[in-house]
Structures are given as structure tokens and as C-alpha cells.
Amino acid sequence: MKNKKAFLIFFIFTFVLISFANSYADSNISKDEAKQIAVKFIKENFNIQIDDEKFETKIRTIDNKYNEKSMWDINWYSEKDIDIDVRVDANSGKVIWVDKYNHSDKSARIAKITKKEAKKIAEDFLKKINPNEFKEIRFLDTYEYDYKDPVRNYDFTYLRRINGIDYINNEISVEVDGTTGNINSYRKDWEENLNLPEYKDIIESNKAKEILKKDTNMTIVYTSFDRFDKENVMILYKPNYDRPSNLRARMVDAKKGIAIDYNGNEKIENLKTKDIIKKEKEKILNSSKNIGKLSKEINKNEAEIAIKQKLKESLNKDFELESLMYIEDENNYRTNGKKAWQAHFSKNDSDETYGEGKIIMDALTKEVIYLDLYHFEEGRNINPKLTWEEGYDKAVDIIKNYYPNKIMDIDTKQSYVETYFYDENKAYPLEYEYKFYRLVNGIKYEDNSICVNINAKTGEINGIEYNWNEDINFSSNEKLIDKDKAKDIYFDNHNIKLKYERIRYDKKIGDKGEVTLLYDLEPLKGKYDFYSLDAVSGKFIDYDGNEIIKEENNYKDKIKGHWAEKELSILNDSGIIDLKDFEDNKEITKMDAVKMLVNSRGYYPNYSDENIELKFKDISKESEDYYYIQLAVEYNLIENKEENFNLNSKLTREEMTKMIVKLIDKDKMANMKGIYSLGFKDEQNIEEDYKGYVAACKGLGIITGNDGNFRPKDNATMIEMAISIYKALSNTNIR
């Protein structure tokens, strides 16, 4: 809620000011020295001469006790040229950060060098500026989400290794401009004079894995990967460590031989739990009134009266409505597609404490969908008006009064760990949060819940979030693999690896933690995070609900020595093509062409405009290609017509040119009739409607003929489509 954010900003700002006063007075590097170091570094490594008359210069200080770094931050800005940000360690004088942005960038839309070539550039740069550190790092091949987008820049991260063991808290990263081969940014997070634990008395890795496996339970949950797709609800197993969800113990202390969480806790000694008995739930349900839907939405006057009444009931105060608006949006995050009224409200109390907030009410049931009350107050050491247990009772009262018919459908058991501010003294919490997840067939549904926040200082409601979909189709749980098998699959697909990591056993400001030798789980194959397990198939699922393919085959071997090896490699790294299924001389289908084109614009399936209803007779919402075609319509790559799409039909070369021209938004040029001389021997075979598109592609160097012929009626091949897309995206004259 907003008061929490206000406090956090105030707290961080105060802390930074105090830190600045203590650290910069004793720093070894002055402001002028830091500026000279930055100017020299930029000149020698980025070939940029800093001229103060051409740049606006800003210098500030940054201090952070967590990594004990005091830094000078020097920024040079030129509106017509570039923006350069350099950070210099105020004690060592080393450059630890460079970020360069070109305001007048007119480069291509896709990289002109491969990822392999860019990686060599990055590593040559690091060898030059950090020769000693380079000997102690390894390349970190990170997880790549299943989104497609033309690659213009390549990011490389290198993890520090000490005695052959990864140190998780130190790394160096470099970004290379794929269109120019220049370095865009460099960041170094590196500690000196580390106090490492002795490498002795370490338990064996198989023993550590046994400890972690024994400590792990597999929890079964329903989850949605597209919150508006009522059909795509899956049952998953996820590892749970008998701790609150924010305290997952996935590590084993290599010396002590115990499983710990990220805060160094072996067991939560001060864990509190509270629940209500079944009899009490039944009593609440029996006393509830049936909440039916009205025949039509309440009007504005009715909404104003209902909202004011609900605010009075909830907060025991009269608020003024600053604004009131109607919402009817299937994709609205707060309303879940429900018809609703949203109001902003405020009140000036006699004690001059200013309160304001937002409320959203269902326009058909008058249920509160969302309530957020925030006010600004100073001070952290707040004597709470009520305990967490008393706050729980108040949260249950909210359920009883607002959503009594849901009491049997939620998990009422709540857990609480006493929270401490990272200060020398314990501080009381600002609020208590109670999240009651929906239960279906006895299984938690992660995407539906009733969340209640209680202000610890006042004992009043801070907020309510009612996230509930009535018309979701949940599959039965009759064919699920059992928990023991799920646990075996999970651990069989993970190695356990030794690493160094800082664990903050002491919860004080400035305590950056103790470097500890730990065993941690990592995927057996590949770079993906094997966390969610399909409870029916036993397959691992990624963040988009797709099966994770564990085999790490290098499909680039297929194109080694190919005349278009570089272009195909770049297209593959961008996700525009998939070399696994790519056959260069295979005739391309209409659907495969659409996939390439959509990937070229950016494939973000969960962010498509779902208001676009496809008119094609042979494409259903259940089709795995639905999102691609929907995005193709949204991107204006194809026309949405009431006809068959014929996704498996072949694409002719003249049809291909129309798609390419639409990709680069040159339709107006192509639609000029009767002005083009194409210069192909078989020009007469090109249909009149396609001549402008063929001419545009030829003029921009995207396509060429063969022996003077264009072959418009020939079916296009995968290689022809792929190279045409690459030429279109890499042409700097096309913006």
C-alpha cells in the first residue's frame, strides 16, 4: 500500500544521507580525480573524447552500506549526441559502471554480428580492462523466456569463481551493440578482501541432496498462465519447504549440514499460525445472504450511494468521492473482466492527517473488488494497536461481512513470521497481510484469492483485493502422479552444486551478510529453472505453461558452412526462426511465414489485444496458432477476413513480398499503381495487385531475381523468407 512505499522512500533517503556524511569525508578519490579517471577511461575504451562545451555534466555521489561501495557518478549528456554515465569507486579509483546511450541511433533493427562474435568482443574488452578478474570468472548462460524479438544488443554476464567455486554475489556484465560491435555498457560488482570460510569439514554433495530432499514437500496447486484464459488452468506440483512462501529453503549449509532459507534460518522459531474451525465456517456460510447478480449494472447515482455506504461500513468514516468512473474491460487486471465502478476518495481529518484511496465495486453484485486506503505518516517505531492474531480475527470479519458465501472455498489458515526492520532495534510492522487463497477440490488455486490488509497502528482496514473468477473450468485430480513420484522427478532432474553466497544472519542495517559455503540445486540439463511440474504428465513447465525441453542440442551445427550461416544464426538467436525445425529449401507454409513475421515484430502471447476477434472460419481459439494469427492481425501483417485462412497452404513468392512490405510499413509505397518498371523477364506473370510490393522489395534490396526472372508463382522457401526478413530488418534505410 502507499503508506508503506512512502515510508520506504523516506527511510532509504535518510539512510543514504547519513551514509554520505560518514563515507565521502574519508574517501581516497576526490570529485575532480574521479572525473579525470572517467574521462580517460571513456577515451581509451570507448573512443569518445569528452568535451565539456558539448556536454551537460552532472556529478553526484552514491553510497550503499550493503556492498560498502562509495561511488562518484558522472553523467555527460548531449541532446543531439549521446548520454554517458560513469561510476568510479571513491576508494579504489576503479571504474565500475559505464552506460552509454546514443540519442541519434539510426542503426538497423536487427544485429549484424552473431552472438558468438559479440561474446568475443565482450571478453576481449574484459581482458583489456580487468585482466586479473577475467581469470576468475565464468560465463553465465541465463534463462531466456519464450518471447521473440529481433536482437539488436547482446548481454553477457560473468560470475565470479573463487577456488573453482561460484561466488553468487559478485559478477561482471557487458552489453554489446549487435549492429555496430561497440560496447554499450559495463558493470562490475566485485568485492575486495573477502573473508572466506575455510574449505574443510564439508559434507558430501549426495548427503546435502538427501538433506534437502527430506526437507522438501511437493505442494499441489492450480495455476493459470494467462489469467484471462478460462480454459488454460493446469495442476502443478511445486516444491515447498514447510515455511512461508517467501522463505524457500533450497540450500544446505555445507559445514553445518542443515537446510536453510535465504535469511539463514534453519527453522522459523517465531512462526505463528491461526485458523478457524469448520463449525465456525459453516456458521458464517449459513448466516450469509445469497449474492445474486442484478439484471443490469447500477447507474452512476446508485454507484455513488453504494460506494459511500461501503466506505462508511468499512472505515467508519465519511469520505468524499473525488472521481467516479465506469469500467467494462475484459483485460482489466483489477476487475478480471467484470463490469465495475471505480472511485477515488479522500478525507481531511480534524487532526490534519490526510487520507485518500481508491475503491472498485462490482456493478452487478455491489461487491468490493478492490479497496486501497493510504495516508502519509512519519516514524517507524509504531506501537501497534492490535496483534497479528487480532488482525486475523478482523480479516475473517471482513470475509464474513463481504464474502460470506466464499468462506468454504478459501484456505483460512494463515502463517506469520515476525518482521524486523534492518536496524539495531526491533521495529513494529506497519501492516498485517492476510491472503486467503481459493480452494478447488481441496487444491489451492494461486490466481484467485481474497487479500485483506490491516493497519497495525490504527487497527483499521488498509486494503482489500478480491480476485475471483466464477466461470473457470477446473480439471479433476483423478489421474495425478503421487507426491513421492513428483519429488523423485524433481530431484532426479537437479544437481546439487557448491557455491559461496552471503547469508544475512544478522538483520541490521549495513549487515551485508556472512560469506557461507552452501549447496544449492541447479537444473541437471540446460539453463532453465525446473520448478513447476505438470501433476498429470510429470513434465517440467516454464513460466508460460509450456513444457521445458531439457535436451540442449546445438542446432547451429546444421548451418555450419552454409552461405547464410551468419544471418540464420542471428535470426535463430532472435527467436525469429527455430533451427531445430528449419529446412532451408522446404516450401514455406502460410502459417510458418506468419510465425516468422510475428516473431520479427515481437511475439508476446500474453499481451496480445484480446479484443481482436478473428474472423477466419478455420481458426478456433483452441488452436495453438491462435495467438500468432491474432498478433499478425494486430501488427497489420494480414487482413482479418471471413474466409478460410488455410494455414497449411503454400506461399508464393509474390505473396511473400506483400508480407515483407507490411512488416516494414511501406504499404503506401507499394500501393502506388502503374509507376513501377520491375525489370524482370517474367514481369507479365506478376499480378497487378502485387507489382508494387515486388517493386518495393527489389528497390530496397530485399529480393532479387534468378537469371533475370522473379518467378512470382513459385512457392517461396523457408530460406527465401528468412533472408528476406533479415535484409528488411538490417537495412538502415528502412526505419
Side-chain angles (χ1 to χ4, degrees), residues 652-654 682 704-706 709-715 720:
T652 66
R653 283 170 54 82
E654 62 183 3
D682 56 355
T704 57
N706 186 10
N709 292 307
F710 176 62
R711 300 177 289 112
K713 306 302 180 187
D714 285 5
N715 292 330
E720 288 173 337

Side-chain angles (χ1 to χ4, degrees), residues 46-102:
F46 288 80
N47 197 29
I48 298 173
Q49 181 70 51
I50 298 296
D51 185 344
D52 284 336
E53 293 184 1
K54 295 181 180 179
F55 289 91
E56 177 185 336
T57 306
K58 295 179 181 179
I59 301 177
R60 62 173 181 154
T61 55
I62 299 175
D63 194 14
N64 190 332
K65 269 192 175 182
Y66 293 114
N67 57 20
E68 295 183 348
K69 290 285 186 186
S70 301
M71 295 168 278
W72 291 105
D73 183 51
I74 304 103
N75 179 266
W76 289 283
Y77 174 79
S78 172
E79 186 175 346
K80 296 181 180 179
D81 198 0
I82 56 177
D83 187 358
I84 306 170
D85 192 46
V86 183
R87 294 182 186 177
V88 178
D89 189 308
N91 292 310
S92 69
K94 293 181 180 179
V95 173
I96 56 176
W97 173 301
V98 178
D99 207 351
K100 176 172 66 72
Y101 175 71
N102 191 342

Side-chain angles (χ1 to χ4, degrees), residues 220-233:
I220 193 166
V221 297
Y222 282 110
T223 192
S224 299
F225 295 95
D226 179 354
R227 65 195 305 273
F228 298 105
D229 184 356
K230 307 297 189 298
E231 304 296 328
N232 189 25
V233 178

Side-chain angles (χ1 to χ4, degrees), residues 567-605:
E567 291 87 347
L568 293 175
S569 179
I570 293 169
L571 290 169
N572 182 75
D573 288 336
S574 297
I576 294 173
I577 64 171
D578 186 347
L579 287 176
K580 179 179 68 173
D581 305 316
F582 189 85
E583 297 177 36
D584 54 354
N585 292 318
K586 181 181 178 181
E587 292 179 348
I588 193 167
T589 65
K590 195 173 179 181
M591 191 62 235
D592 284 338
V594 164
K595 285 183 177 180
M596 282 192 198
L597 293 163
V598 169
N599 292 341
S600 301
R601 280 284 186 90
Y603 177 62
Y604 307 102

Side-chain angles (χ1 to χ4, degrees), residues 108-123:
R109 292 196 235 179
I110 195 169
K112 293 190 175 183
I113 61 173
T114 64
K115 186 176 183 178
K116 183 178 179 180
E117 291 170 330
K119 187 168 180 276
K120 184 178 185 307
I121 292 170
E123 293 181 355

